[in-house]
Amino acid sequence: MDAITRLLQGFGHSMEQDPDTAGRPGTIVTALKLAPILCVAVGVFILDLFLPKGVADGLLYVTPVAWIALWSDRHEASLVVLVAATCTVCAVVGFLLSPPGLLWLGVANRGITIFVVWLTVGLSLRRKRVEEEVKALRGLLPICSYCKKIRDDKGYWKQIEVYIAANSQADFSHGLCPECGFEHYPDIFKKEHTGTHS
């Protein structure tokens, strides 16, 4: 586990406690995420060593990359890159050490494999960036039935406009609906809607 921790820190991955893991240390969670994925990559590498160069087993290296891309948090982009780099190195070394076969087919298969691995990384990073940009309001919002203020997670009451602007991508512009216009500004709204102006 220490080797994985040092490797991740070398790639700039933070080993701080992650708020999404509910009190579990970040190192253990990251190692538990990476261990089965790296085992699959090693298994594919061992299989690769026994199959001839023309067999398209190299595409199996996409499996660990897709796995980490789907199951990692948006703050763990460096893990996706780490697994992709590991799979790329394994694909190249596996090609060089595999038994002889059709060389041109083996080169084409490895080129496709490396392209698909890094395409998966690019799509994963794009998805993580979009997830970061999108803020969605979910669940029940405690709202005052009189003043319409909303209570936030810390127990503070905020105006609905302030709360929604802080927790989503929405902004507000203010106006008056016809009912409130008639109720609060009857002189102005009567003139506008009856067509009489002074």
Side-chain angles (χ1 to χ4, degrees):
M1 183 156 344
D2 290 335
I4 292 175
T5 302
R6 284 192 304 273
L7 184 63
L8 289 172
Q9 286 173 340
F11 272 92
H13 185 71
S14 173
M15 292 288 118
E16 299 298 320
Q17 189 162 335
D18 187 5
D20 296 335
T21 59
R24 293 177 286 176
T27 306
I28 294 171
V29 172
T30 303
L32 289 175
K33 243 182 226 183
L34 273 181
I37 292 169
L38 292 177
C39 287
V40 169
V42 168
V44 171
F45 178 71
I46 291 170
L47 176 69
D48 198 11
L49 293 176
F50 292 105
L51 294 174
K53 284 186 173 40
V55 178
D57 64 323
L59 282 175
L60 292 175
Y61 286 112
V62 175
T63 305
V65 177
W67 186 353
I68 192 71
L70 291 173
W71 293 105
S72 62
D73 296 331
R74 65 179 184 252
H75 305 292
E76 298 175 324
S78 60
L79 293 180
V80 178
V81 174
L82 172 68
V83 171
T86 303
C87 288
T88 300
V89 168
C90 287
V92 171
V93 171
F95 172 73
L96 296 174
L97 298 178
S98 63
L102 293 173
L103 185 62
W104 69 270
L105 192 55
V107 170
N109 286 338
R110 294 313 154 120
I112 292 169
T113 296
I114 293 170
F115 173 75
V116 172
V117 162
W118 289 102
L119 179 66
T120 304
V121 170
L123 292 173
S124 170
L125 295 178
R126 173 81 174 128
R127 179 184 62 89
K128 290 176 191 325
R129 187 175 42 216
V130 168
E131 282 177 359
E132 209 168 272
E133 291 173 1
V134 173
K135 290 182 177 180
L137 294 175
R138 294 188 184 138
L140 295 174
L141 297 176
I143 188 168
C144 174
S145 59
Y146 182 72
C147 70
K148 305 301 181 202
K149 287 184 179 177
I150 294 178
R151 189 178 69 225
D152 66 7
D153 296 340
K154 296 176 184 169
Y156 297 108
W157 290 91
K158 297 180 178 179
Q159 288 184 336
I160 191 166
E161 297 93 345
V162 172
Y163 182 84
I164 292 177
N167 292 292
S168 73
Q169 298 293 323
D171 287 323
F172 287 88
S173 66
H174 290 85
L176 287 174
C177 70
E179 291 176 16
C180 291
F182 282 123
E183 182 180 335
H184 297 288
Y185 303 100
D187 295 337
I188 298 172
F189 271 78
K190 278 184 185 176
K191 290 177 185 176
E192 284 184 14
H193 292 309
T194 58
T196 59
H197 296 285
S198 43

